């Protein structure tokens, strides 16, 4: 893996391990911060994820993979599957919190649901770590822009997971997610999949990212700052267009 790739792995792992525990509200109001992060993420979705999905669709149409060869919109089906899987997991965690609050007066998930939820996100982080090998062909500025978008995304995802799971997330969850990125990067260095397989994995990942943005990073109207949201979107869009 190249120098920028290693830096991305270390940086994103550091976000899960330590940065996500920073009290951002001490410097800027929480709703402004979340609105800004949501704006950056929306810019990333429309200018990076959607074009990548279009490219992946063209590649998969000629891949010859038996499991998806008969589908007309392979990549979008895979993205939809990723979205549905993580929507189901999020609903499971929310229902578990509600039951646990009624039964035990604890506003967190049950132990089993915690491990299921964290395992799913660990797999997701492993995929991100694996795909970081693809960044070796990108410029330093492109790598930095990718890091900013993913770091903000991880930060908000951590916020949601900590809200669902409380102490178990800080004690175990964040370290598992940190390890998953590193292990994924190691696998990416030693294990090389075909382009079609990588694009299929990326498509599933894209669906999960889109869901997490829509569910966690788009603030509701009573806890949002439209100016911060537009500012984040505009800033990230301009930087991407200039690269």
């Amino acid at each position: 893996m190249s120098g920028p790739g290693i830096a991305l792995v270390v940086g994103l792992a550091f976000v899960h391990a330590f940065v996500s525990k920073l009290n951002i509200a001490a410097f800027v109001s929480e709703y402004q911060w979340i609105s800004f992060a949501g704006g950056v993420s929306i810019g990333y979705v429309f200018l990076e994820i959607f074009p990548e999905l279009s490219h992946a669709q063209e590649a998969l149409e000629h891949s010859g993979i038996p499991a998806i060869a008969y589908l007309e919109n392979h990549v979008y089906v895979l993205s939809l599957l990723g979205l549905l899987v993580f929507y189901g997991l999020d609903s499971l965690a929310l229902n578990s919190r509600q039951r646990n609050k009624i039964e035990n007066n604890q506003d967190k998930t049950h132990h089993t649901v915690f491990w299921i939820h964290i395992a799913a996100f660990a797999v997701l982080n492993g995929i991100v770590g694996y795909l970081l090998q693809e960044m070796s062909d990108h410029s330093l500025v492109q790598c930095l822009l990718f890091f900013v978008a993913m770091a903000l995304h991880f930060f908000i995802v951590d916020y949601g997971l900590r809200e669902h799971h409380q102490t178990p997330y800080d004690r175990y969850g964040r370290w598992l997610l940190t390890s998953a990125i590193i292990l994924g990067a190691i696998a990416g260095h030693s294990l090389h999949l075909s382009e079609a397989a990588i694009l299929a994995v990326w498509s599933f990942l894209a669906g999960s990212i889109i869901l997490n943005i829509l569910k966690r990073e788009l603030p509701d109207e009573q806890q949002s700052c439209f100016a911060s949201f537009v500012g984040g979107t505009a800033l990230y869009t301009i930087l991407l267009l200039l690269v």
Side-chain angles (χ1 to χ4, degrees):
M1 183 176 289
S2 64
I6 295 173
L8 283 172
V9 172
V10 173
L12 292 176
F14 193 78
V15 169
H16 271 311
F18 303 108
V19 177
S20 63
K21 287 185 66 64
L22 292 177
N23 183 18
I24 299 297
F27 307 98
V28 61
S29 65
E30 184 176 298
Y31 71 91
Q32 287 180 319
W33 164 247
I34 293 178
S35 295
F36 180 83
V40 170
S41 296
I42 285 297
Y44 178 72
V45 166
F46 277 86
L47 295 177
E48 289 290 319
I49 290 183
F50 285 167
E52 282 291 334
L53 289 179
S54 178
H55 168 70
Q57 173 60 32
E58 294 179 5
L60 288 180
E61 283 177 355
H62 308 289
S63 67
I65 299 177
I68 61 177
Y70 69 94
L71 295 174
E72 293 182 357
N73 298 296
H74 325 110
V75 67
Y76 301 107
V77 171
L78 291 169
S79 294
L80 178 60
L81 179 61
L83 188 150
L84 290 174
V85 166
F86 280 85
Y87 181 73
L89 289 168
D90 221 54
S91 297
L92 177 67
L94 184 59
N95 291 334
S96 178
R97 278 179 65 190
Q98 292 173 342
R99 287 195 305 271
N100 205 19
K101 193 170 185 178
I102 294 172
E103 296 170 1
N104 304 309
N105 197 31
Q106 294 181 335
D107 188 19
K108 63 179 182 179
T109 60
H110 285 86
H111 198 62
T112 302
V113 173
F114 162 72
W115 286 111
I116 293 173
H117 208 199
I118 292 301
F121 275 92
V123 170
L124 203 64
N125 277 15
I127 293 173
V128 171
Y130 180 89
L131 293 177
L132 287 177
Q133 64 174 307
E134 300 298 310
M135 298 302 295
S136 59
D137 297 329
H138 292 66
S139 68
L140 179 60
V141 175
Q142 289 174 319
C143 288
L144 287 174
L145 289 175
F146 172 82
F147 173 77
V148 169
M150 291 306 297
L152 287 174
H153 178 69
F154 279 3
F155 194 101
I156 302 301
V157 167
D158 272 16
Y159 181 88
L161 292 174
R162 186 170 286 107
E163 185 179 27
H164 276 316
H165 307 299
Q166 305 292 331
T167 302
Y169 179 74
D170 282 329
R171 185 174 297 172
Y172 308 110
R174 65 191 176 108
W175 298 113
L176 287 174
L177 298 187
T178 299
S179 301
I181 296 175
I182 297 172
L183 291 175
I186 293 173
H189 182 69
S190 56
L191 176 65
H192 299 286
L193 300 176
S194 67
E195 181 186 11
I198 290 175
L199 290 174
V201 170
W202 161 249
S203 302
F204 181 85
L205 172 65
S208 66
I209 290 176
I210 291 170
L211 170 73
N212 287 322
I213 289 171
L214 294 176
K215 190 168 182 64
R216 291 191 175 88
E217 298 174 28
L218 282 182
D220 62 51
E221 63 263 4
Q222 297 186 357
Q223 292 184 329
S224 64
C225 177
F226 183 69
S228 296
F229 182 80
V230 173
T233 305
L235 177 61
Y236 196 74
T237 298
I238 290 170
L239 290 174
L240 280 177
L241 291 177
L242 290 176
V243 173

